[in-house]
Amino acid sequence: MSRSTLTGSLRRAGVLTSVALAVALATAVPAAAHTEVEAEGARALDRNVELTFSAESESGTAGISKLEVILPEGIGPQDVTYEEGPKGWKFAPTSRGYTVSGPKPAVGEDVEYVVTVRQLPDTKEVVFKTLQSYSDGKVDRWIELEEEAEGDGHGHGHPAPRLALKAAAPGAESVSPTPTEAPTTAAPSSGTTSGGPAAEKTSAEPGADDSKDDDGMPVAVPVGIVAAVLVLGGGVWWMRKRRSGAA
């Protein structure tokens, strides 16, 4: 083989190697999260922000039936308002966030819905851990944080949806938390209530009050004294009458 032919072969081999390396690098880029959240231009402490969530279907046999979101610190279920989503789907708050669920779409169909958040927290980013359920009972857990989501190094982790926030606008302030509706109970009246302490006291006192005179002395005492006086007086009168008759 001549020197020129050898040089040409090496050059062609080098080009092919470079192309193969470029393809390998391109395919090694980690895949994007399959459940995402977006809010264009969102800043920390922004109010009434619309968040758009999208969940990609990864099942070839079942449709997505429910999405459960675990809210980050600084956002409570009472601060979230459901705007729109798949037909027939409903929003329900939970102790740690909310769910959106309803009739399953077609197999392989993605789901998108929109909520409004009263105010974003004062932080650089917010993470919305999501449990994605299918009609066959399978659950995809998109809950891993960035340092946990590397998976096997090929983008096969389950990263949680995250939203990067710009710095808060000058003068932006945190609003007070949305008040939660507490159960109401009727306050006790100033009068007596059935079965209460006041009622017991009232029912116990009349008998004691009726047995006393104005000085607090039982009525039976003076009545007994009067009866005794009358008996003694009658006895003295009878004895005197008897003696006078005998004389």
Side-chain angles (χ1 to χ4, degrees):
M1 180 182 295
S2 65
R3 179 177 296 179
S4 59
T5 302
L6 180 60
T7 301
S9 298
L10 291 175
R11 285 178 179 175
R12 285 194 295 272
V15 170
L16 292 174
T17 303
S18 299
V19 171
L21 181 59
V23 171
L25 291 174
T27 56
V29 175
H34 293 280
T35 301
E36 299 176 336
V37 57
E38 297 178 351
E40 187 176 354
R43 308 178 70 159
L45 297 180
D46 275 355
R47 303 183 188 181
N48 300 319
V49 181
E50 281 196 356
L51 304 181
T52 300
F53 288 84
S54 57
E56 296 181 13
S57 177
E58 293 195 330
S59 174
T61 58
I64 300 173
S65 59
K66 182 174 72 173
L67 296 169
E68 180 182 357
V69 174
I70 302 171
L71 291 170
E73 185 176 356
I75 303 177
Q78 71 276 7
D79 298 321
V80 180
T81 303
Y82 186 60
E83 300 296 344
E84 60 179 336
K87 185 177 180 180
W89 279 42
K90 296 182 179 180
F91 173 94
T94 66
S95 59
R96 57 181 183 174
Y98 64 85
T99 62
V100 285
S101 60
K104 67 173 184 176
V107 174
E109 184 176 331
D110 300 338
V111 168
E112 183 174 290
Y113 70 92
V114 180
V115 297
T116 295
V117 173
R118 184 169 179 256
Q119 185 177 41
L120 294 174
D122 189 8
T123 184
K124 293 182 179 180
E125 67 175 10
V126 281
V127 178
F128 299 88
K129 295 182 178 181
T130 301
L131 304 180
Q132 181 172 318
S133 300
Y134 294 86
S135 55
D136 61 359
K138 178 187 175 184
V139 178
D140 288 338
R141 303 171 61 85
W142 302 104
I143 61 174
E144 296 177 358
L145 302 180
E146 191 171 34
E147 58 272 14
E148 303 170 341
E150 296 178 359
D152 57 7
H154 297 286
H156 295 163
H158 287 76
R162 61 181 59 242
L163 178 66
L165 303 179
K166 298 179 181 179
E173 296 181 353
S174 178
V175 297
S176 59
T178 302
T180 54
E181 187 175 343
T184 57
T185 25
S189 61
S190 57
T192 58
T193 56
S194 175
E200 293 175 2
K201 182 178 180 182
T202 303
S203 62
E205 289 178 353
D209 292 342
D210 292 343
S211 65
K212 296 181 181 180
D213 58 16
D214 294 340
D215 295 329
M217 180 183 294
V219 177
V221 175
V223 172
I225 294 174
V226 171
V229 171
L230 291 176
V231 170
L232 289 175
V236 172
W237 174 81
W238 183 80
M239 289 293 293
R240 286 179 179 177
K241 184 177 180 181
R242 184 178 179 185
R243 286 177 182 175
S244 62

